[in-house]
Amino acid sequence: MSETFPSLRLHSRGGTVVARDGVVVSFFMPHDHKLVAQVCWRALETYLRAVPSQSLSWYGAEDGDVLELDEDGWEVIRKKMVDRPSRLAWHVSLFDLPGGTGGYQFEYHSNRVQLPLCVGSSTAMSFSFPTEFLLEQGPQRMRALVLELARELPFHFGYASFALVPQDGSWSAGKWQLLDEYSARYLGVDLSTTADMGDVIGLHALGAHWLTFLGPPLLERMGGTEALRQALPFPEVSLLPMEQERLLVTLSEWPQAIDVEQEPVPPQYRALACFLKPFMYTSGEDAGIENYLDRWRRRLCP
């Protein structure tokens, strides 16, 4: 079986591609940088082995500049992620193009955890791939790669989804009218916002996706694996227990764009979305991009 995906592009007023279709893989961990730095670095190494060489060639400097990711640049990134200097926040953005996006990106955002756990408590990390990578690899190899990325991560929530991936994780550029058109038609498309979500998600979920990862303490609050099994009695769904009391929920063989002009929403996607709704993050904003994204996250179970 093969899958057909739409070609989605958002352009800046100057014509640069600032968001495009692809697959985004994101994880959210309720732990301080010092506890997850090593495993996150190993996940980045796994990503680099899987994608074509030089897929990540640029990085965002702390002064806002974009610099070439040469040997010196990689040393800067390694020190930031692994040497763990004493600071309040860590931010790493790696990408394939100095302007616009070709589909390969990596983001890491961590803020010092304050206990008791509350808003501003998570480490977030994401990996992006162009749709062409998924088509070349196929869904089984893609799922295996995502599992390898997740293997050591102490996440409470994570996912892999067909997505509209913005340049450097930002929705500040692009034509909003076209974004509205895409979101009205393709209900399976994730609008990636890892940088913004990492310090506010707390211990919440972000909706139903092709691959949905659940871990402690969120999974326990939901009633554990058996509660998911009862909520998702569909032949397309598989539940894979992972070490450290984590769970992978797979909703379909391929990621789904869910083109509502061509097909209804798959019932297993709607069922998981409704199951997760009481546990989902909401910004509480009544206007702007945050309100837009709140509504989008609840599109499958309003």
Side-chain angles (χ1 to χ4, degrees):
M1 177 181 177
S2 62
E3 186 68 42
T4 300
F5 294 95
S7 177
L8 309 179
R9 300 289 189 276
L10 288 183
H11 295 83
S12 67
R13 292 181 179 179
T16 301
V17 176
V18 294
R20 59 151 294 165
D21 60 274
V23 175
V24 67
V25 181
S26 296
F27 298 100
F28 300 89
M29 295 159 275
H31 299 284
D32 200 301
H33 169 81
K34 65 182 180 181
L35 298 178
V36 299
Q38 295 287 346
V39 295
C40 289
W41 180 256
R42 289 196 289 271
L44 173 57
E45 291 179 320
T46 296
Y47 175 74
L48 293 172
R49 288 193 297 268
V51 300
S53 61
Q54 306 303 312
S55 292
L56 300 180
S57 299
W58 303 87
Y59 71 99
E62 293 187 358
D63 62 2
D65 199 3
V66 175
L67 302 177
E68 186 176 358
L69 194 51
D70 53 15
E71 290 186 8
D72 291 338
W74 274 115
E75 184 61 17
V76 170
I77 299 305
R78 191 196 65 79
K79 287 182 177 180
K80 185 180 291 189
M81 287 190 65
V82 180
D83 289 355
R84 299 176 295 191
S86 177
R87 55 196 302 170
L88 296 177
W90 295 258
H91 301 286
V92 173
S93 296
L94 313 178
F95 30 89
D96 50 4
L97 299 174
T101 179
Y104 291 104
Q105 296 184 164
F106 169 80
E107 292 183 65
Y108 176 84
H109 305 281
S110 185
N111 293 274
R112 181 163 293 167
V113 171
Q114 301 295 322
L115 296 176
L117 207 57
C118 58
V119 169
S121 63
S122 279
T123 295
M125 182 167 58
S126 71
F127 311 84
S128 300
F129 307 81
T131 302
E132 293 85 349
F133 182 90
L134 166 65
L135 295 173
E136 291 170 0
Q137 298 293 314
Q140 286 77 26
R141 291 176 65 182
M142 188 77 202
R143 181 176 179 272
L145 171 57
V146 175
L147 264 172
E148 182 61 20
L149 292 173
R151 186 170 58 88
E152 295 186 87
L153 302 179
F155 55 78
H156 81 277
F157 181 77
Y159 68 89
S161 175
F162 183 65
L164 190 61
V165 184
Q167 173 189 358
D168 197 20
S170 173
W171 291 103
S172 60
K175 298 180 179 179
W176 279 81
Q177 181 179 358
L178 187 57
L179 181 62
D180 286 340
E181 293 174 7
Y182 286 159
S183 61
R185 178 172 177 177
Y186 301 107
L187 297 192
V189 176
D190 179 62
L191 304 180
S192 179
T193 56
T194 305
D196 294 332
M197 291 307 307
D199 60 353
V200 298
I201 185 176
L203 294 173
H204 296 90
L206 294 178
H209 300 87
W210 170 50
L211 305 180
T212 303
F213 292 86
L214 301 168
L218 180 59
L219 182 58
E220 291 95 327
R221 290 172 53 210
M222 294 176 172
T225 300
E226 187 56 35
L228 270 297
R229 199 180 309 280
Q230 293 180 17
L232 300 170
F234 304 96
E236 301 89 349
V237 173
S238 69
L239 304 181
L240 178 66
M242 301 174 64
E243 294 179 351
Q244 301 173 6
E245 300 180 343
R246 299 168 301 162
L247 178 70
L248 168 59
V249 182
T250 302
L251 292 182
S252 51
E253 180 185 9
W254 289 82
Q256 299 290 306
I258 311 181
D259 181 352
V260 294
E261 294 186 5
Q262 304 292 330
E263 60 181 341
V265 176
Q268 69 271 28
Y269 277 76
R270 195 175 295 283
L272 180 57
C274 291
F275 180 86
L276 294 177
K277 186 176 180 179
F279 309 97
M280 284 179 62
Y281 166 79
T282 180
S283 70
E285 300 290 338
D286 60 5
I289 184 64
E290 292 302 325
N291 175 257
Y292 184 97
L293 294 172
D294 279 349
R295 288 185 283 109
W296 179 248
R297 282 187 287 270
R298 286 161 174 74
R299 66 198 179 278
L300 298 179
C301 187

